[in-house]
Amino acid sequence: MFGRTLVELAQQDDRVMGVTAAMPSGTSISRMLTEFPQRTFDVGISEGHAVTFSAGLATGGKRPFTAIYSSFLQRAYDNIVNDVCIQGLPVTFCIDRAGIVGEDGVTHHGLLDIAYLRCIPNMKVASPADEETLRNLMFTSLHSDGPMAIRYPRGKATTKDWHTEMKVIEIGKGRVIDEQPDSDIAVLTVGPILQEAKKAVESLRSKGIKVNLYDMIWVKPLDTDLLKRIASSHSKIITVEDGVVTGGFGTAVTEWCRDNGFDIDIQTLGAPDSWIAHGTVAQLRHDCGYDSVGIETAVAKAAGKNS
């Protein structure tokens, strides 16, 4: 889906370039390589060079989409900081295999990128919950200034009708998924883990436990207007992310609430401060406590009831 969308963007705008570091098929940038071989570059197993090369393209007026697995992008951290972000260059980091990846094991889990990117000035960080939002984020990055990171998981699309007309979405704006005025607990998600949260909310509602659900989309910048409204009208917030909780999305929400005077109970669900071993995505999310069962358990506990 990413590969097909990138080809569409390249057809619309001849500034679009594709860059990867020996991951053309894994990232599906191979579709771009087939359609636009003169505008697609595989630089080999050299992630730092891929990023600096992308920065060079951006200084020349191009709009590079740089597709690298989350765990491998760590190798290019200095290049991201010094060659892209300090310059404020319009490089779009397409972070494949973000979150738990399953049977590739501990070296391939993409659990650190939110934490290591959100601290960089000039960087925008987003994670789409669905295919349509991913397409819109890619389109938005093409029509905005400065670097942007879009993180998305390994796996299949969840909808068959994802091929919608792309549109620019507002940077730093989340969305309400399910909201009722008499609910005291808010669940805030970022990325496709929203699908697990939806299952949990549906089950909780059947048991008489009311909870509101929000897809924040952006880790940086946060939707502070929506967050202010949530913090003002709920006594408990539960954040859910497919990444480490240390320094991640939940940390960003906690910091904002603290800095803006909201004394609210916040629980962060995500990967713990330990290495995650080999297993299926479903198994590992369950072990880490942020699949639908883990989310339901956390909400029920916050509501003072047994799940």
Side-chain angles (χ1 to χ4, degrees):
M1 198 224 79
F2 163 78
R4 289 171 62 180
T5 300
L6 184 59
V7 168
E8 284 184 62
L9 293 176
Q11 290 168 340
Q12 298 173 15
D13 191 328
D14 61 11
R15 298 176 302 162
V16 171
M17 301 282 158
V19 180
T20 192
M23 302 165 229
S25 59
T27 62
S28 78
I29 214 167
S30 54
R31 291 179 177 270
M32 176 81 173
L33 184 61
T34 299
E35 296 292 330
F36 297 98
Q38 301 302 314
R39 292 161 55 187
T40 311
F41 306 90
D42 180 354
V43 303
I45 306 176
S46 49
E47 292 83 358
H49 175 53
V51 171
T52 299
F53 176 64
S54 297
L57 290 173
T59 60
K62 305 301 183 182
R63 301 302 296 253
F65 285 72
T66 305
I68 299 175
Y69 297 175
S70 171
S71 62
F72 297 167
L73 190 61
Q74 295 160 189
R75 301 171 179 173
Y77 195 68
D78 184 66
N79 309 75
I80 295 169
V81 171
N82 286 294
D83 298 336
V84 176
C85 290
I86 288 179
Q87 321 302 327
L89 294 172
V91 175
T92 301
F93 294 97
C94 306
I95 306 177
D96 200 327
R97 285 156 171 74
I100 285 176
V101 297
E103 290 88 339
D104 279 338
V106 64
T107 58
H108 281 58
H109 294 314
L111 296 169
L112 306 180
D113 56 87
I114 290 177
Y116 71 67
L117 291 175
R118 63 174 283 259
C119 62
I120 305 176
N122 276 348
M123 179 66 84
K124 299 181 287 294
V125 183
S127 186
D130 50 54
E131 294 78 19
E132 182 179 7
T133 306
L134 173 54
R135 282 169 60 79
N136 288 338
L137 285 170
M138 292 171 68
F139 189 71
T140 299
S141 73
L142 184 58
H143 294 85
S144 62
D145 296 326
M148 181 186 295
I150 307 173
R151 71 185 307 265
Y152 49 91
R154 173 189 186 182
K156 297 179 181 178
T158 57
T159 57
K160 294 181 179 180
D161 56 348
W162 57 263
H163 197 266
T164 55
E165 183 178 356
M166 290 179 281
K167 62 182 180 180
V168 172
I169 60 176
E170 189 171 355
I171 292 171
K173 291 298 176 184
R175 58 179 177 170
V176 177
I177 300 300
D178 194 344
E179 186 177 60
Q180 297 181 357
D182 56 347
S183 177
D184 192 43
I185 302 172
V187 173
L188 279 58
T189 68
V190 64
I193 202 67
L194 172 66
Q195 310 309 323
E196 293 294 312
K198 284 181 176 179
K199 296 176 189 176
V201 168
E202 182 178 356
S203 178
L204 288 161
R205 290 270 174 85
S206 70
K207 298 175 182 178
I209 300 176
K210 297 178 180 179
V211 56
N212 291 335
L213 181 59
Y214 304 88
D215 172 23
M216 298 302 287
I217 303 175
W218 299 89
V219 176
K220 185 178 182 178
L222 283 170
D223 186 343
T224 55
D225 290 336
L226 180 56
L227 194 52
K228 181 178 180 179
R229 182 162 69 80
I230 293 169
S232 300
S233 57
H234 299 80
S235 67
K236 299 178 179 67
I237 290 176
I238 296 172
T239 66
V240 191
E241 61 197 294
D242 194 7
V244 291
V245 295
T246 305
F249 164 65
T251 299
V253 171
T254 302
E255 290 170 348
W256 185 90
C257 288
R258 177 200 63 200
D259 293 345
N260 288 273
F262 290 99
D263 184 15
I264 187 168
D265 182 9
I266 301 175
Q267 181 179 358
T268 57
L269 300 183
D273 186 20
S274 59
W275 298 116
I276 308 303
H278 183 93
T280 68
V281 171
Q283 288 171 333
L284 296 177
R285 283 180 177 174
H286 182 74
D287 290 347
C288 292
Y290 65 95
D291 63 349
S292 62
V293 174
I295 297 168
E296 182 176 347
T297 300
V299 173
K301 184 177 180 180
K305 300 182 179 181
N306 294 323
S307 62

